[in-house]
């Protein structure tokens, strides 16, 4: 078992606290590595290093910065199997999804390295003669990135790749549940040639390390993915410094099935959307809204298919659903299942798996409730393998139910009616809508994010990826050789 340090100014160093914590596999409780419990003083050292590295990194041409990211992608591609196994071991998603997490990181690095040759600004005419107007993008400075555990490689790389190509230097805090995946990414970036100080990695508690990154005025912006309560706390703290914050938060994502849908396709979709990654995706399908005339038929098929899912060790390729991430996650999901048992009708699952190897980890059965819209399980984010099934009278009712939650990340509708499909695109209040596909499955070259309490309006990935990591500078070049005054008419 390896003992890691903090990564500051290109070196692995101990924390001044002298304390450590373990990262543990949710599969069987085995300890994978230890990491330092960082302190505010460690964050200050990381900021010192990031500030010192910034001028040189900012002036490294963006295409050269891109070459380093592309090399990192190539290293990851060569080591995809091993990295996928690491994701699965540390976080618990099944191996196909562990490798998918790695692939998403590779895809993003490849995509964003090309941004080094775009980084587009605008040119536009001036209202005055002999004057040239344009915008250029500039890095912000030292940026802070704070990430969750559920995509332990893809989410960090979305932030790291976009921040670095834009010319920023980084102080990075991973989830305390998955620091090893990010430590491996740091090693790969170093191997790819990233200069010392450009990325600095501080492990430790959210309230100490995370909050110091948020509050320290030398960190110029924050990119955060995680839960709504943490997002609120971070937003409020950063507001004291008028610091820009990008928040990617929770979801309560609906899949609608209309009477004309391909039912088999819809059932396969919800199965993957609801129980993939044991329901621990921000885009997971947590509500299935079925059109009344086909309710019994779709639900019957879903229950039958769900029964066939195999729950167990996620490193085994034959397994469909792995453990949930840790004890805290397990308890919170089981609490919601108890609430569901009080307020709704339990159709399937609802128990912790026990006996044999199950006792070493945290395995919860794929669970389906039939419920009215308005119950807690139908409105609150559970972040586990728990699906609420709700009946809708018609299309309008389905959309009303879909929209009547605090979140707005992803939505999906299964229908063959092109008019309904486009009306759904128009009416569903989410940042992402899928037609005849599940609520999960982001592609890196498209913007990702949501409405309402899912965030504060920004979008990661796609053409919007660098927006949160660049300042737009407007430039006027006057080559008239005289004082020209915009908006002011000559009176004399
Ligand atoms: P948390 O909000 O608990 O934690 C996220 C990160 O914030 C962790 O690194 C955590 O550190 C840190 N943190 C905790 N408290 C503070 C604080 N006071 N100040 C600064 N940082 C802090 O979320 P989870 O890790 O449990 O992730 C699950 C949540 O993330 C779900 O709600 C899910 O919907 C959301 N999510 C959203 C996505 C999106 O793109 N919209 C994608 C994936 C997940 P530590 O681990 O040390 O506590």
């Amino acid at each position: 078992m390896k003992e890691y340090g903090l990564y500051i100014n290109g070196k692995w160093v101990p924390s001044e606290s002298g304390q450590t914590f373990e990262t543990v596999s949710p599969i069987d409780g085995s300890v994978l590595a230890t990491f330092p419990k960082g302190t505010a003083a460690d964050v200050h050292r990381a900021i010192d290093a990031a500030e010192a590295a910034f001028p040189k990194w900012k002036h490294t041409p963006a295409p050269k910065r891109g070459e380093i990211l592309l090399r990192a992608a190539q290293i990851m591609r060569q080591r995809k199997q091993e990295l996928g196994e690491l994701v699965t071991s540390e976080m618990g998603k099944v191996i196909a999804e562990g490798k998918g997490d790695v692939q998403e990181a590779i895809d993003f690095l490849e995509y964003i390295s090309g941004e080094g040759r775009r980084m587009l600004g605008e040119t536009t005419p001036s209202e005055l003669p002999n004057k040239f107007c344009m915008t250029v993008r500039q890095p912000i400075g030292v940026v802070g990135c704070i990430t969750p555990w559920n995509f332990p490689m893809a989410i960090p790389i979305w932030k790291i790749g976009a921040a670095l190509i834009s010319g920023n230097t980084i102080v990075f805090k991973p989830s305390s549940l998955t620091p090893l995946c990010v430590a491996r990414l740091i090693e790969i970036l170093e191997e790819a040639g990233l200069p010392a100080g450009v990325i600095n990695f501080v492990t430790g508690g959210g309230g100490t390390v995370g909050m110091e990154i948020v509050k320290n005025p030398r960190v110029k912006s924050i990119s955060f993915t995680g839960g709504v309560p943490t997002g609120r706390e971070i937003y409020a703290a950063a507001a004291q410094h008028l610091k820009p914050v990008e928040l990617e938060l929770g979801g309560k994502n609906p899949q609608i099935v209309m009477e004309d849908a391909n039912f088999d396709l819809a059932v396969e979709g919800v199965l993957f959307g609801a129980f993939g990654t044991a329901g621990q995706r921000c885009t997971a399908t947590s509500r299935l809204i079925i059109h009344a005339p086909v309710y019994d038929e779709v639900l019957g098929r879903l229950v039958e298919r769900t029964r066939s899912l195999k729950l167990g060790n996620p490193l085994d390729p034959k397994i469909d659903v792995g453990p949930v991430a840790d004890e805290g996650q397990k308890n919170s999901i089981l609490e919601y299942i108890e609430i569901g048992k009080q307020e709704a009708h339990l159709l399937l699952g609802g128990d912790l798996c026990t006996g044999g190897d199950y006792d070493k980890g945290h395995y919860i059965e794929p669970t389906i409730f039939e419920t009215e819209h308005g119950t807690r399980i139908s409105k609150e984010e559970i972040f586990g393998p728990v699906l609420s099934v709700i009946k809708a009278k018609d299309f309008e009712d389905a959309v009303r139910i879909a929209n009547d939650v605090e979140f707005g990340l992803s939505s999906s509708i299964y229908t063959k009616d092109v008019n309904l499909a486009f009306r759904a695109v128009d009416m569903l209040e989410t940042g992402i809508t899928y037609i005849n596909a599940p609520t999960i499955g982001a592609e890196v070259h498209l913007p990702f994010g949501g409405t309402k309490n899912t965030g504060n309006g920004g979008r990661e990935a796609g053409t919007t990826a660098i927006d949160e990591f660049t300042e737009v500078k407007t430039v006027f070049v006057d080559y008239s050789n005289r004082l020209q005054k915009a908006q002011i008419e000559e009176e004399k």
Side-chain angles (χ1 to χ4, degrees):
M1 183 193 60
K2 191 162 170 182
E3 290 174 21
Y4 275 85
L6 311 171
Y7 185 76
I8 297 177
N9 204 19
K11 294 202 170 57
W12 293 94
V13 294
S15 161
E16 58 111 71
S17 76
Q19 295 181 328
T20 58
F21 67 96
E22 294 171 339
T23 176
V24 171
S25 175
I27 301 174
D28 56 9
S30 57
V31 179
L32 301 174
T34 65
F35 283 88
K37 269 191 194 163
T39 63
D42 293 322
V43 174
H44 299 164
R45 283 194 292 153
I47 299 171
D48 290 344
E51 275 186 339
F54 177 62
K56 193 163 176 208
W57 184 244
K58 172 182 172 175
H59 291 109
T60 302
K64 294 281 171 215
R65 299 195 293 252
E67 284 172 17
I68 295 173
L69 298 181
L70 196 55
R71 266 201 299 280
Q74 284 158 353
I75 297 169
M76 290 187 77
R77 202 179 269 287
Q78 282 155 11
R79 292 171 52 184
K80 183 172 163 185
Q81 179 67 28
E82 166 214 328
L83 295 172
E85 285 170 12
L86 173 60
V87 169
T88 294
S89 300
E90 196 178 28
M91 183 272 161
K93 61 178 73 175
V94 295
I95 184 66
E97 293 175 359
K99 282 162 52 183
D101 202 315
V102 178
Q103 187 60 49
E104 192 169 330
I106 295 168
D107 291 346
F108 188 73
L109 285 170
E110 289 178 351
Y111 171 74
I112 208 70
S113 63
E115 190 62 41
R117 291 189 181 273
R118 289 186 296 270
M119 206 64 67
L120 299 177
E122 298 169 36
T123 58
T124 179
S126 169
E127 65 188 55
L128 295 164
N130 297 323
K131 197 173 171 191
F132 185 85
C133 308
M134 65 180 166
T135 65
V136 293
R137 285 183 183 265
Q138 297 189 320
I140 294 172
V142 177
V143 298
C145 301
I146 303 174
T147 53
W149 44 265
N150 66 333
F151 276 82
M153 288 205 179
I155 291 178
I157 282 294
W158 280 26
K159 297 188 191 303
I160 292 169
L164 293 186
I165 198 68
S166 305
N168 304 284
T169 54
I170 301 176
V171 177
F172 193 101
K173 188 206 119 41
S175 162
S176 297
L177 293 185
T178 52
L180 185 53
C181 285
V182 185
R184 201 54 53 79
L185 293 175
I186 302 278
E187 289 167 344
I188 288 169
L189 286 163
E190 186 181 41
E191 190 183 334
L194 195 69
V198 171
I199 190 163
N200 303 278
F201 167 78
V202 186
T203 49
T208 48
V209 171
M211 223 356 117
E212 182 56 31
I213 294 172
V214 172
K215 285 185 172 166
N216 194 297
R218 293 195 287 149
V219 177
K220 300 299 179 198
S221 81
I222 300 294
S223 183
F224 172 76
T225 300
V228 170
T230 318
R232 278 215 174 92
E233 209 181 320
I234 287 176
Y235 210 22
Q240 300 308 311
H241 304 282
L242 303 180
K243 190 181 287 193
V245 180
E246 168 102 354
L247 300 173
E248 296 288 342
L249 309 175
K252 189 70 187 172
N253 313 290
Q255 175 180 315
I256 298 172
V257 182
M258 297 305 299
E259 63 180 333
D260 66 335
N262 175 333
F263 300 149
D264 287 334
L265 194 65
V267 166
E268 290 309 307
V270 70
L271 219 57
F272 184 43
F275 303 124
T277 321
Q280 301 168 112
R281 291 185 181 218
C282 49
T283 51
T285 311
S286 52
R287 295 179 294 154
L288 177 65
I289 302 170
I290 309 176
H291 192 187
V294 295
Y295 180 84
D296 291 337
E297 175 159 11
V298 174
L299 190 53
R301 289 193 201 192
L302 172 66
V303 169
E304 195 187 312
R305 276 293 282 120
T306 308
R307 276 189 216 283
S308 69
L309 293 178
K310 291 193 203 71
L311 191 70
N313 187 327
L315 288 165
D316 176 348
K318 291 194 284 300
I319 291 297
D320 300 301
V321 183
V324 299
D326 76 333
E327 180 92 21
Q329 262 294 104
K330 178 189 81 179
N331 292 338
S332 140
I333 296 165
L334 290 177
E335 258 174 54
Y336 269 109
I337 290 177
E338 282 315 306
I339 292 168
K341 285 177 183 169
Q342 304 301 316
E343 63 180 7
H345 174 219
L346 178 67
L347 267 182
L348 193 71
D351 277 321
L352 191 65
C353 296
T354 51
D357 286 348
Y358 286 137
D359 289 340
K360 296 183 192 159
H362 314 288
Y363 294 86
I364 297 179
E365 290 175 346
T367 297
I368 303 178
F369 284 102
E370 259 185 307
T371 182
E372 299 287 317
H373 171 61
T375 54
R376 284 187 64 190
I377 57 162
S378 73
K379 295 194 85 165
E380 296 176 20
E381 184 181 48
I382 300 174
F383 221 59
V386 181
L387 179 70
S388 294
V389 183
I390 305 161
K391 192 185 285 184
K393 288 198 289 283
D394 51 25
F395 171 76
E396 283 73 19
D397 193 35
V399 170
R400 179 190 64 79
I401 293 168
N403 286 341
D404 186 30
V405 289
E406 65 169 305
F407 300 106
L409 184 52
S410 182
S411 57
S412 136
I413 183 165
Y414 281 73
T415 178
K416 290 182 196 142
D417 181 336
V418 68
N419 294 0
L420 280 191
F422 274 90
R423 284 179 67 205
V425 170
D426 188 36
M427 293 164 73
L428 288 167
E429 296 166 354
T430 50
I432 305 164
T433 293
Y434 293 88
I435 309 296
N436 294 323
T439 59
I440 64 177
E443 296 185 32
V444 302
H445 55 299
L446 287 142
F448 180 93
T451 65
K452 302 194 262 187
N453 282 356
T454 291
N456 57 346
R459 295 289 184 271
E460 292 195 295
T463 50
T464 46
I466 59 171
D467 289 351
E468 63 169 313
F469 293 112
T470 50
E471 296 279 9
V472 172
K473 173 168 282 189
T474 305
V475 182
F476 299 100
V477 182
D478 190 321
Y479 53 99
S480 68
N481 217 19
R482 62 192 179 90
L483 176 62
Q484 302 200 86
K485 298 176 181 169
Q487 294 96 37
I488 296 177
E489 291 174 14
E490 291 294 336
E491 301 277 336
K492 294 175 202 158

